[in-house]
Amino acid sequence: FLGFLIAVGAVLCFFPWKEKAAGASRFGLLLALSAALLRGAMALVYKQAFLNACSSDGILFWNSLCWIIGGIVWHLAVERRKKILSARLSGYGICSGILVFGIVFTMAEALTCGNANIVIPIAQMSFIITFLLGGVLLGEHFDRMKIAGAGLGFFGVLLLSCA
């Protein structure tokens, strides 16, 4: 329970309390929290599938098929007029697609070997790496609250995975 409270504290440290565009930032944070919940739910579905003798290869096949169909439907419904075949966009899309495959594959394989309540919190620690690389590679601003949030997040995940 303490790990959960510390993790909540970490999220609150990243909350845009004073920013001028706080409405947009808060909406972005809400989307990020939704993504974390969906990612956690996906991992739990994976683990349940593996407990019911489903193969990780089969899960990854259906997952990939949903991505392909979902991407096509999204493009046709929402972004039809946007150019999708530029070299720059294709490069970023392929790179991120490879990374998504790596994320999904390694998380699925980790869940075949370990308990969900340990694997999932550790997998969620990617925010620390992203936080550091965002500052180094993208020049994003570090402040005391964000540094405290990253530290609290680390200890929260550590406590959750050790419990």
Side-chain angles (χ1 to χ4, degrees):
F1 185 71
L2 181 61
F4 175 76
L5 290 178
I6 290 173
V8 169
V11 171
L12 291 176
C13 287
F14 285 97
F15 197 79
W17 299 103
K18 298 178 183 178
E19 292 184 21
K20 292 179 183 175
S25 295
R26 288 181 184 143
F27 181 69
L29 183 63
L30 179 63
L31 288 174
L33 289 172
S34 298
L37 290 172
L38 290 169
R39 185 175 171 189
M42 179 182 75
L44 291 172
V45 168
Y46 280 11
K47 185 62 179 184
Q48 188 63 36
F50 302 146
L51 291 173
N52 286 291
C54 295
S55 73
S56 61
D57 294 335
I59 295 295
L60 291 174
F61 168 79
W62 288 106
N63 192 292
S64 300
L65 191 60
C66 288
W67 264 95
I68 292 167
I69 293 169
I72 292 169
V73 169
W74 178 265
H75 174 71
L76 293 174
V78 178
E79 299 185 347
R80 182 178 305 189
R81 296 178 188 208
K82 294 183 180 175
K83 186 176 179 181
I84 63 168
L85 295 177
S86 71
R88 181 183 299 179
L89 181 59
S90 298
Y92 284 125
I94 290 167
C95 181
S96 65
I98 291 168
L99 292 170
V100 167
F101 173 78
I103 292 165
V104 171
F105 175 78
T106 55
M107 185 171 63
E109 290 302 311
L111 285 166
T112 65
C113 304
N115 293 332
N117 64 351
I118 295 173
V119 170
I120 296 168
I122 291 172
Q124 298 286 20
M125 283 183 54
S126 63
F127 75 91
I128 295 171
I129 295 164
T130 305
F131 172 74
L132 294 173
L133 291 178
V136 173
L137 298 177
L138 302 176
E140 294 180 351
H141 178 69
F142 292 140
D143 60 23
R144 289 182 184 147
M145 287 297 282
K146 290 179 183 176
I147 293 169
L152 284 173
F154 174 78
F155 287 112
V157 168
L158 188 66
L159 287 173
L160 286 169
S161 62
C162 292

